């Protein structure tokens, strides 16, 4: 018995050692766990894509601690605007992260009256104008950096906002024409759209109701119900939009609230890219198997903010697992990093994200800080290659992609992109091999199609003359034999 | 007739083939096992050896043991379910007969799926729809053979054969459910036994 227990203890000790060893190695290899999803249905570790550079807190900046900040914005000059919701103020930093001003008290330009913000939830900067969603005062304010109010947008004169319906703007943005879009709390008709003078225009980009079994059943019953019964049934309405952003081409990206009914729709299906008609035009070219793997991982995510940078890279933050997801414009998940914690690369409750050049800014509502993330060399190589590819310089991307593969052989998108680059250069065999390694069946199909056509063309070059020659020979022989016979 | 020659014979002449095979006892257990193994390999080939342009799922997870076990479980439970219901429906087939006829009627599907794998290596995704027709032909052919074989061996009418197939499906579900119950029961018994074992061994120390 002793012996048995001893051996049991030995096995347990071996397991413990093994566990500790793996723990130690994972700490030394990379500072953060950055991964992407491969078609092997699993998370694949890759070199760091972004790394935390510094963390800005209110005390360090010199304006006193932030309190539950909800939104941040970085303008074209790198100035940082933080919507400090709990303190009812807006903090502005310059590109060196030094304090420029704090807007606490606002003055109407026309009348000279003063006013304060009350729980502002979102802000947007358009040139010199700061647009603030002053949520609990039920208004949207246009002001400048000194706090001078230029324009005020109040509850629109529309039947949807009649009676006791509150107008609670939480997120705002302004498009290139100067139209204002606001997302209001508890409002499912989409974004509320105002023209540049603050006049109500329409509702924009409402979600559609997902036709789940439940919804269809209710539709069936409503066909045979009386009007009184109909009035008593609950209505299925589209889900609310959580957050939105606008890219340099004027497309508005929105993320909608998760559907509660049956959970049929996945969190990533809630990301939309809307054109001016409010139609979803998001392209998703992630290889099927990798997409499936990511999708199953994304069920537990809660995507809270989205930003699209100059080159079209899409960044999304998730508040439930502290993840930052970095997509290219075709929704290939280039990298996913971050987690819950107190490290420089970890967050407690990320609520907002914005970018300037290649830096990312993540606002953490619990620790009341802004994390500044810097792209690593690896990330820089990948991003340059991706944007060169999308600009159409396919030949230029071959070198960088080979570089990337040299640094991270398991990075499937690199093979996929490299295959596409070879494909555009007409090097179909190389392209096919790359697609095979990247397990991109769609790309493989393209390369294979070309190779097959070429192969058939090469063979036909010999087969057709040969067949013609054989036919002619047979005919001649037949004719000769016939003639000899008839003689 | 050689026992191997019945395989193509029943596939191409199902009407008289199965009757003849039954009365001349032409169905061989050995042949049926070989046919079953071929069927398993056709499934694995579909997951592993299709052209890369048709491989959408993860082909590193393909496992011969898993496929072998899961198909065997399904087929064996289908055999017993069919046999069980045939007793109620006054069928005449024995368990061995049902196993044999099931595997003989799988042949067209196996052949067509090997064909599918072969052609998928020279086809493109755009031609994939045409290609999947091949599989459907195999399924249809196999299904017809199965019905015909049940009619011959069990002496059912055509409707009776269809009915027995439907009942078999229900039977398979019941058998699998009972199996799951049984396994969880054994797991609990084993857990209890091991706890008692450890308890005693700690006290002995």
């Amino acid at each position: 018995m002793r012996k048995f227990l001893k051996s049991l203890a030995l096995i347990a000790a071996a397991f413990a050692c093994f566990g500790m060893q793996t723990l130690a190695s994972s700490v030394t290899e990379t500072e953060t766990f950055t991964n992407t999803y491969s078609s092997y249905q699993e998370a694949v570790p890759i070199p760091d894509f972004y790394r935390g550079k510094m963390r800005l807190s209110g005390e360090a900046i010199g304006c006193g601690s932030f309190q539950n900040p909800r939104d941040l914005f970085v303008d074209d000059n790198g100035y940082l605007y933080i919507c400090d919701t709990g303190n009812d103020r807006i903090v502005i930093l310059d590109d060196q992260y030094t304090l420029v001003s704090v807007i606490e008290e606002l003055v109407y330009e026309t009348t000279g009256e003063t006013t304060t913000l009350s729980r502002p939830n979102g802000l947007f900067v358009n040139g010199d104008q700061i647009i603030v969603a002053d949520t609990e005062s039920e208004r949207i304010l246009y002001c400048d950096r000194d706090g001078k109010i230029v324009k005020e947008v109040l509850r629109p004169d529309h039947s949807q906002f009649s009676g006791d319906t509150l107008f609670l703007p939480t997120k705002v943005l302004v498009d290139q024409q100067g139209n204002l879009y606001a997302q209001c709390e508890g409002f499912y008709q989409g974004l509320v759209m105002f023209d540049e003078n603050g006049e109500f225009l329409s509702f924009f980009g409402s979600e559609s109701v997902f036709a789940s079994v439940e919804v269809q059943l209710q539709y069936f019953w409503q066909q045979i119900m009386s009007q009184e019964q109909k009035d008593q049934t609950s209505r299925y309405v589209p889900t609310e939009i959580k957050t939105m952003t606008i890219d340099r081409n004027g497309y508005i990206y929105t993320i909608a609230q998760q559907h509660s009914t049956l959970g049929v729709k996945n969190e990533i299906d809630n990301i939309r890219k809307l054109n001016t008609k409010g139609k979803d035009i998001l392209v998703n070219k992630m290889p099927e198997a990798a997409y499936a793997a990511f999708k199953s991982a994304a069920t537990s995510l809660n995507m809270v903010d989205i930003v699209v940078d100059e080159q079209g890279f899409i960044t999304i933050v998730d508040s439930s697992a502290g993840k930052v997801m970095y997509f290219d414009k075709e929704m290939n998940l280039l990298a996913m990093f971050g987690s819950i914690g107190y490290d420089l690369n970890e967050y407690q409750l990320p609520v907002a994200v914005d970018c300037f050049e290649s830096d990312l800014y993540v606002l953490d509502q619990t620790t009341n800080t802004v994390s500044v993330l810097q792209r690593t060399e690896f990330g820089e190589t990948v991003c340059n290659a991706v944007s060169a590819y999308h600009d159409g310089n396919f030949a230029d991307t071959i070198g960088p992609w080979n570089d990337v593969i040299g640094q991270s052989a398991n990075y499937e998108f690199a093979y996929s992109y490299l295959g596409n680059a070879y494909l555009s250069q007409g090097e179909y065999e190389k392209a096919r091999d790359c697609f095979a390694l990247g397990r991109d069946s769609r790309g493989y199909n393209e390369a294979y199609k070309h190779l097959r056509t070429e192969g058939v063309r090469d063979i036909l070059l010999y087969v057709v003359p040969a067949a013609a020659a054989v036919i002619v020979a047979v005919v001649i022989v037949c004719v000769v034999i016939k003639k000899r016979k008839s003689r | 007739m050689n026992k191997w020659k019945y395989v193509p014979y029943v596939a191409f002449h199902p009407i008289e083939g199965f009757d003849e095979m039954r009365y001349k006892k032409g169905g061989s257990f050995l042949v049926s096992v070989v046919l079953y193994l071929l069927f398993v390999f056709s499934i694995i080939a579909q997951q592993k050896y299709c052209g890369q342009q048709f491989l959408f799922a993860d082909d590193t997870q393909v496992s011969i043991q898993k496929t072998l076990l899961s198909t065997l479980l399904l087929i064996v439970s289908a055999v017993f379910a069919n046999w069980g219901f045939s007793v109620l429906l006054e069928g005449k087939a024995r368990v061995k007969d049902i196993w044999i006829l099931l595997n003989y009627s799988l042949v067209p599907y196996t052949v067509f799926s090997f064909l599918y794998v072969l052609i998928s290596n020279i086809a493109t995704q755009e031609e994939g729809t045409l290609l999947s027709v091949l599989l459907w032909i195999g399924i249809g052919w196999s299904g017809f053979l199965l019905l015909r074989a049940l009619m011959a061996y069990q002496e059912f009418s055509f409707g009776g054969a269809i009915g027995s197939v439907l009942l078999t499906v229900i039977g398979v579900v019941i058998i699998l459910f009972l199996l799951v119950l049984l396994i969880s029961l054994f797991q609990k018994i084993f857990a209890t036994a091991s706890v008692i074992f450890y308890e005693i061994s700690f006290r002995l120390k």
Side-chain angles (χ1 to χ4, degrees):
Chain A
M1 190 41 80
R2 280 263 164 84
K3 218 171 187 180
F4 170 73
L5 285 175
K6 246 186 200 167
S7 56
L8 210 68
L10 209 68
I11 292 169
F15 268 105
C17 283
F18 182 71
M20 252 139 75
Q21 199 187 3
T22 50
L23 202 70
S25 64
S26 69
V27 167
T28 46
E29 267 171 15
T30 49
E31 283 171 37
T32 64
F33 181 69
T34 303
N35 68 280
T36 180
Y37 284 89
S38 80
S39 44
Y40 293 100
Q41 303 264 329
E42 57 190 14
V44 176
I46 54 168
D48 281 353
F49 211 89
Y50 267 94
R51 210 172 276 158
K53 185 163 73 172
M54 61 195 299
R55 183 169 274 184
L56 308 168
S57 66
E59 293 95 334
I61 297 161
C63 61
S65 173
F66 303 134
Q67 222 185 342
N68 292 328
R70 289 279 171 79
D71 202 6
L72 94 167
F73 192 91
V74 186
D75 73 2
D76 298 339
N77 305 318
Y79 278 50
L80 202 63
Y81 300 76
I82 298 159
C83 182
D84 193 0
T85 309
N87 290 330
D88 296 334
R89 62 179 184 175
I90 287 158
V91 178
I92 305 173
L93 310 178
D94 68 6
D95 53 350
Q96 303 302 316
Y97 316 126
T98 49
L99 192 63
V100 175
S101 67
V102 178
I103 304 178
E104 267 172 312
E105 195 163 76
L106 296 103
V107 186
Y108 285 101
E109 199 181 32
T110 44
T111 58
E113 285 175 58
T114 60
T115 179
T116 52
L117 298 170
S118 107
R119 301 280 176 267
N121 265 293
L123 53 73
F124 188 87
V125 180
N126 188 24
D128 292 333
Q129 284 180 331
I130 306 170
I131 297 103
V132 188
D134 193 6
T135 309
E136 293 199 352
S137 307
E138 297 192 47
R139 62 183 177 182
I140 298 164
L141 297 174
Y142 284 64
C143 63
D144 62 10
R145 278 185 202 163
D146 305 321
K148 215 180 280 167
I149 298 174
V150 187
K151 198 161 62 188
E152 190 180 33
V153 176
L154 295 169
R155 170 205 288 248
D157 184 23
H158 185 269
S159 59
Q160 289 291 347
F161 290 104
S162 60
D164 50 1
T165 316
L166 294 173
F167 173 65
L168 298 170
T170 50
K171 298 272 175 187
V172 280
L173 66 82
V174 172
D175 69 7
Q176 287 149 342
Q177 285 75 40
N179 295 325
L180 171 71
Y181 299 78
Q183 164 53 30
C184 303
E185 209 173 292
F187 196 71
Y188 60 81
Q189 281 89 342
L191 305 175
V192 189
M193 192 174 165
F194 301 90
D195 69 4
E196 52 202 318
N197 301 318
E199 295 295 321
F200 172 77
L201 280 178
S202 65
F203 300 114
F204 178 81
S206 153
E207 279 273 322
S208 52
V209 175
F210 182 70
S212 67
V213 181
E214 221 176 312
V215 172
Q216 289 178 23
L217 259 181
Q218 192 182 17
Y219 179 77
F220 167 73
W221 285 117
Q222 278 185 346
Q223 300 305 308
I224 48 178
M225 279 178 179
S226 68
Q227 191 56 45
E228 289 89 60
Q229 284 173 317
K230 265 189 214 172
D231 291 343
Q232 283 178 359
T233 54
S234 60
R235 285 197 308 147
Y236 285 101
V237 295
T239 52
E240 223 178 292
I241 289 170
K242 267 192 283 196
T243 182
M244 71 270 194
T245 188
I246 188 164
D247 71 3
R248 63 171 174 154
N249 297 319
Y251 293 113
I252 293 175
Y253 295 70
T254 63
I255 299 180
Q257 208 80 258
Q258 181 67 281
H259 287 252
S260 55
T261 45
L262 299 176
V264 182
K265 248 184 148 190
N266 194 278
E267 180 78 13
I268 34 179
D269 295 325
N270 294 329
I271 306 166
R272 296 184 305 158
K273 177 182 182 180
L274 304 174
N275 62 9
T276 42
K277 277 179 83 180
K279 205 167 173 283
D280 183 14
I281 54 159
L282 190 71
V283 181
N284 188 337
K285 282 200 177 166
M286 207 159 153
E288 289 90 344
Y291 183 64
F294 173 55
K295 222 170 164 172
S296 67
T299 47
S300 61
L301 297 182
N302 175 25
M303 300 176 178
V304 285
D305 202 9
I306 179 169
V307 70
V308 182
D309 76 1
E310 281 287 294
Q311 291 153 323
F313 292 104
I314 302 165
T315 312
I316 293 176
V317 288
D318 142 65
S319 65
S320 65
K323 291 282 178 205
V324 179
M325 284 152 274
Y326 203 72
F327 298 91
D328 70 2
K329 65 169 106 171
E330 293 179 338
M331 290 306 279
N332 288 312
L333 179 70
L334 295 179
M336 183 156 156
F337 42 90
S339 57
I340 301 285
Y342 290 98
D343 188 71
L344 197 55
N345 295 299
E346 294 170 337
Y347 317 99
Q348 284 294 310
L349 184 69
V351 287
V353 64
D354 209 337
C355 63
F356 176 64
E357 285 166 354
S358 66
D359 286 354
L360 283 182
Y361 299 86
V362 178
L363 182 69
D364 192 328
Q365 194 187 328
T366 302
T367 58
N368 297 320
T369 53
V370 179
S371 296
V372 185
L373 284 82
Q374 204 174 24
R375 221 183 253 169
T376 61
E377 210 176 307
F378 176 76
E380 203 64 48
T381 322
V382 172
C383 290
N384 287 341
V386 170
S387 37
Y389 179 84
H390 287 304
D391 291 344
N393 310 324
F394 303 122
D396 297 350
T397 63
I398 291 174
W401 279 126
N402 277 316
D403 258 15
V404 170
I405 290 166
Q407 287 178 60
S408 175
N410 292 329
Y411 199 49
E412 280 189 354
F413 297 116
Y415 292 106
S416 205
Y417 267 112
L418 188 58
N420 278 317
Y422 280 133
L423 199 61
S424 66
Q425 299 301 305
E427 297 184 50
Y428 301 125
E429 261 170 60
K430 275 186 183 170
R432 183 194 56 191
D433 296 344
C434 282
F435 285 128
L437 282 169
R439 298 176 46 78
D440 183 345
S441 48
R442 205 164 11 197
Y444 189 94
N445 185 47
E446 286 305 310
Y448 178 72
K449 220 163 32 186
H450 285 290
L451 278 176
R452 194 179 68 172
T453 315
E454 275 185 358
V456 169
R457 200 184 292 143
D458 288 352
I459 293 174
L460 277 187
L461 207 63
Y462 302 106
V463 167
V464 171
V470 168
I471 290 167
V472 169
V474 168
V475 168
I476 288 172
V477 168
C478 284
V479 169
V480 169
I481 289 173
K482 234 183 188 176
K483 269 193 177 170
R484 279 199 182 157
K485 268 189 184 167
S486 62
R487 237 182 237 167
Chain B
M1 210 194 286
N2 182 343
K3 59 185 174 185
W4 291 100
K5 284 193 177 156
Y6 274 105
V7 178
Y9 183 59
V10 294
F12 288 113
H13 307 88
I15 307 288
E16 68 265 25
F18 279 110
D19 279 329
E20 205 180 314
M21 193 168 89
R22 184 183 173 205
Y23 290 116
K24 291 186 178 170
K25 298 204 180 334
S28 142
F29 185 72
L30 175 76
V31 174
S32 71
V33 170
V34 172
L35 292 179
Y36 164 70
L37 289 178
L38 280 173
F39 167 70
V40 171
F41 286 131
S42 79
I43 291 176
I44 289 167
Q46 270 189 52
Q47 296 167 349
K48 193 123 181 112
Y49 299 114
C50 276
Q52 183 100 31
Q53 64 271 38
F54 286 98
L55 284 179
F56 300 108
D58 180 3
D59 66 340
T60 55
Q61 299 296 316
V62 177
S63 144
I64 294 182
Q65 296 97 312
K66 235 188 245 170
T67 322
L68 209 62
L69 263 179
S70 58
T71 49
L72 194 67
L73 190 72
L74 261 182
I75 291 182
V76 168
S77 53
V79 166
F80 278 99
N82 191 282
W83 175 70
F85 281 113
S86 76
V87 172
L88 295 177
L89 299 170
E90 296 182 359
K92 304 284 187 292
R94 297 169 300 161
V95 173
K96 190 184 158 192
D97 290 338
I98 299 173
W99 161 265
I100 287 172
L101 69 87
L102 209 61
N103 283 311
Y104 272 62
S105 48
L106 279 177
V107 169
Y109 178 73
T110 309
V111 171
F112 274 98
S113 47
F114 276 126
L115 259 179
Y116 171 84
V117 172
L118 268 181
I119 299 176
S120 77
N121 278 288
I122 53 165
T124 59
Q125 273 177 18
E126 287 79 1
E127 294 142 15
T129 0
L130 274 177
L131 203 55
S132 62
V133 171
L134 270 187
L135 283 183
W136 284 107
I137 292 175
I139 290 170
W141 193 337
S142 279
F144 177 68
L145 286 195
L146 181 65
L147 287 180
R148 183 51 219 153
L150 282 175
M151 285 163 75
Y153 272 78
Q154 305 266 36
E155 295 180 12
F156 284 153
S157 63
F158 187 69
I162 291 178
S164 94
V165 168
L166 292 180
L167 281 176
T168 305
V169 172
I170 298 169
V172 167
V173 172
I174 294 171
I175 288 176
L176 291 183
F177 176 68
L178 288 179
L179 267 181
V180 170
L181 276 189
L182 198 71
I183 288 169
S184 71
L185 179 71
F186 274 119
Q187 264 174 353
K188 276 181 184 150
I189 291 175
F190 181 76
T192 316
S194 67
V195 165
I196 292 171
F197 171 76
Y198 281 118
E199 234 7 270
I200 294 171
S201 66
F202 288 139
R203 263 155 228 274
L204 282 180
K205 202 169 84 175

